[in-house]
Amino acid sequence: MGLFNKIKKVFSKEKDEVVKYDEGLVKTRKEFTTEISNLSKKYKDIDDNYFEELENILIMADIGVNTVMKFVDKLKKRVKSEKITDSNVLKEIIVDELLIMYVEGNTFSSKISFSEEGPTVILFIGVNGVGKTTSIGKIAKRLKDSGKKVIMVAADTFRAGAIEQLEEWGKRIEVPVVTTNSKDPSAAVYDGIDAAIKGEYDVVLVDTAGRLQNKVNLMNELGKINNVIKKLVPNAPHETLLVIDATTGQNGISQVKSFSEVTNVTGIILTKLDGTAKGGIVLAIKEETGIPVKFVGLGEKVEDLEPFDIEKYIYGIFKDL
Ligand SMILES: Nc1nc2c(ncn2[C@@H]2O[C@H](COP(=O)(O)OP(=O)(O)O)[C@@H](O)[C@H]2O)c(=O)[nH]1
Ligand SMILES: [Mg+2]
């Protein structure tokens, strides 16, 4: 039995484990399942045209052109060496190979690295509207429920209403929020970390403004924030999580590349997977940036955020195949 069939067997019994992925990936699943099933109906036998259409389907799912080329080459080799002729058999091999591609050579962890002592500082960056503030609220709730003492810092001093939005979240999930009257985000960061140390908090989540129009400015601003953090907690930030919006497709990949040039991005939060039929982007992120996706946003509600898990993700996309 193939890898995917094993996963399917496990998760179809443990439905609660995968319910968020199941619901959040409905759009991608419908698209993928229909396309791949149609392909298998159209081509009983596998030939070059089959592979060409498969390439298009995968590219349309935002897996990324380079990644798709590499993938299809590998698939062709396997078809040849194992003498596979039936497109229905190949359907399952496709899913197995996508999974293998993600896991292969993958030494990175999708877990948050927590500090051994003092507060763990997590910095959230990314352009406007991608879901930074919402993700911080969701993560704060998760961490709080897991027993950690959490505090949030409103360091987006640029966007109108940004501070109030985080304060709203704070009230909803009963987590304190540090704000500032200053226009300088570093001032909020300083006050926030200081409060976290004095109040013996376990985790500090820092919300920042998302401005990418000018690399030099962004680099200076993030540099300044990082210096302020390090002054109070020398080995922090422990994580710098870049938030990107799955509905923006390859644009999101460009954002990863741009932000990585100016700061050390340790992980990605991929939001709004529920809002796209092109959920294949997770695979492109891994192949093209090498930065791990640590969380995925699968809806607007507070519980609609999950630590990233490749097996659950693959199940969510392909379970009806
Ligand atoms: N459907 C969906 N909406 C999301 C998700 N994450 C964030 N949003 C929405 O995206 C919009 C922008 O989010 P916000 O947190 O303000 O973005 P920010 O500017 O990066 O802080 C809000 O309407 C959120 O409800 C998600 O995973 N799924
Ligand atoms: Mg915000």
Side-chain angles (χ1 to χ4, degrees):
M1 188 168 30
L3 285 173
F4 175 57
N5 276 324
K6 279 188 196 143
I7 292 172
K8 212 154 122 178
K9 217 170 142 189
V10 172
F11 287 142
S12 48
K13 275 192 212 117
E14 294 168 17
K15 284 207 166 58
D16 288 351
E17 279 260 319
V18 276
V19 64
K20 289 288 162 211
Y21 280 85
D22 191 341
E23 291 168 2
L25 290 168
V26 156
K27 286 190 182 162
T28 300
R29 177 163 68 244
K30 276 201 178 134
E31 182 91 6
F32 241 127
T33 309
T34 313
E35 298 270 6
I36 303 255
S37 297
N38 286 347
L39 189 64
S40 295
K41 275 183 213 141
K42 189 166 163 191
Y43 296 94
K44 287 270 174 300
D45 299 316
I46 301 155
D47 60 14
D48 282 350
N49 293 331
Y50 172 95
F51 283 116
E52 207 164 293
E53 282 198 34
L54 177 65
E55 265 172 25
N56 286 336
I57 294 171
L58 298 175
I59 290 169
M60 288 309 287
D62 261 338
I63 294 180
V65 179
N66 297 337
T67 313
V68 170
M69 293 307 179
K70 241 172 77 181
F71 174 76
V72 172
D73 271 350
K74 201 173 163 214
L75 200 65
K76 279 181 180 166
K77 284 192 188 115
R78 188 161 166 194
V79 164
K80 210 170 155 192
S81 72
E82 293 177 27
K83 301 191 173 59
I84 300 159
T85 53
D86 184 346
S87 59
N88 268 316
V89 175
L90 190 56
K91 234 165 47 175
E92 274 161 30
I93 293 178
I94 290 171
V95 185
D96 276 7
E97 285 292 339
L98 285 172
L99 185 65
I100 290 166
M101 183 171 72
Y102 190 89
V103 183
E104 218 169 35
N106 188 349
T107 50
F108 55 58
S109 160
S110 59
K111 294 214 164 60
I112 291 286
S113 40
F114 288 102
S115 164
E116 304 266 312
E117 52 178 86
T120 297
V121 181
I122 308 179
L123 194 60
F124 291 76
I125 59 175
V127 305
N128 260 338
V130 288
K132 284 183 299 298
T133 307
T134 309
S135 299
I136 290 172
K138 290 170 172 174
I139 290 173
K141 174 79 165 66
R142 281 191 87 90
L143 292 173
K144 187 187 168 207
D145 288 350
S146 76
K148 297 213 184 282
K149 196 175 167 192
V150 185
I151 192 166
M152 305 190 284
V153 183
D156 180 353
T157 54
F158 293 93
R159 194 179 179 186
I163 295 175
E164 291 75 11
Q165 192 192 350
L166 195 66
E167 283 180 317
E168 267 313 304
W169 270 102
K171 273 187 215 135
R172 245 172 94 186
I173 60 174
E174 297 178 347
V175 166
V177 178
V178 178
T179 62
T180 176
N181 291 324
S182 162
K183 272 276 155 220
D184 181 3
S186 304
V189 173
Y190 188 93
D191 290 352
I193 311 261
D194 187 50
I197 294 169
K198 288 185 177 138
E200 296 183 346
Y201 282 86
D202 299 314
V203 190
V204 196
L205 306 176
V206 182
D207 192 10
T208 67
R211 299 180 313 157
L212 190 58
Q213 72 277 59
N214 178 328
K215 259 186 204 161
V216 177
N217 282 354
L218 180 74
M219 198 180 318
N220 288 341
E221 193 170 298
L222 288 175
K224 202 169 159 196
I225 290 176
N226 274 304
N227 287 340
V228 166
I229 294 175
K230 281 187 207 311
K231 229 177 252 169
L232 295 169
V233 184
N235 58 346
H238 304 90
E239 293 275 1
T240 299
L241 301 180
L242 175 68
V243 184
I244 62 171
D245 175 343
T247 65
T248 64
Q250 297 299 311
N251 207 336
I253 308 263
S254 318
Q255 287 163 19
V256 179
K257 290 179 180 163
S258 302
F259 274 94
S260 300
E261 281 168 21
V262 300
T263 198
N264 176 32
V265 178
T266 59
I268 289 167
I269 300 180
L270 183 64
T271 61
K272 310 187 199 181
L273 265 175
D274 55 303
T276 179
K278 299 176 167 219
I281 189 158
V282 172
L283 300 164
I285 292 172
K286 192 252 169 176
E287 284 296 306
E288 291 184 32
T289 75
I291 300 173
V293 172
K294 297 208 169 181
F295 290 97
V296 285
L298 295 159
E300 285 194 274
K301 295 194 297 295
V302 61
E303 64 276 13
D304 294 340
L305 177 123
E306 289 273 308
F308 181 64
D309 182 302
I310 185 66
E311 294 187 353
K312 292 178 183 172
Y313 164 80
I314 290 282
Y315 175 80
I317 294 184
F318 296 106
K319 68 165 203 168
D320 294 338
L321 205 63

